[in-house]
Amino acid sequence: GPRDAMRLLDNRIPALAVLGSQNVSEQKILMTMGISSKLKTLYVMPDNDSGGAKFVQNVKTCAKDLIEVRHLKLPKPMKKGKLIKLDPDNCDQDIIDEVRILFREHRHA
């Protein structure tokens, strides 16, 4: 969501927030690709729930033949058997750092 994107941006990682798993289209993928001619991969980091799974599938479908899509699966912390969603307030900095490393490696490849 927006706060996730702001945290990534604050860590100098380019990010966009997509509000809703159905809010993806080929046109939006093309607009995203227009941000930089060097963009080679879209990384998606959705919540670990059914909406997140649907979002990943929608992005892959809309981006087919346009750009590589990679799903960065966030850990699934559990509390008394219930999923705890990771958001900017409780997502470990280690996860943000992993994304930063992936971004740097891919950008310089």
Side-chain angles (χ1 to χ4, degrees), residues 23-82:
N23 198 12
V24 180
S25 68
E26 185 176 321
Q27 180 180 10
K28 289 178 182 176
I29 299 289
L30 288 167
M31 287 172 55
T32 302
M33 291 171 63
I35 292 171
S36 170
S37 61
K38 296 179 182 179
L39 189 63
K40 306 245 186 295
T41 305
L42 288 180
Y43 292 93
V44 293
M45 296 172 47
D47 290 331
N48 286 313
D49 57 15
S50 61
K54 185 179 279 190
F55 173 71
V56 172
Q57 188 56 47
N58 289 345
V59 171
K60 286 183 176 183
T61 299
C62 293
K64 186 179 178 185
D65 301 324
L66 295 174
I67 191 167
E68 177 187 7
V69 175
R70 294 191 56 199
H71 179 194
L72 295 178
K73 293 183 181 181
L74 298 174
K76 294 184 178 186
M78 302 294 278
K79 183 176 184 178
K80 296 183 182 179
K82 289 189 172 183

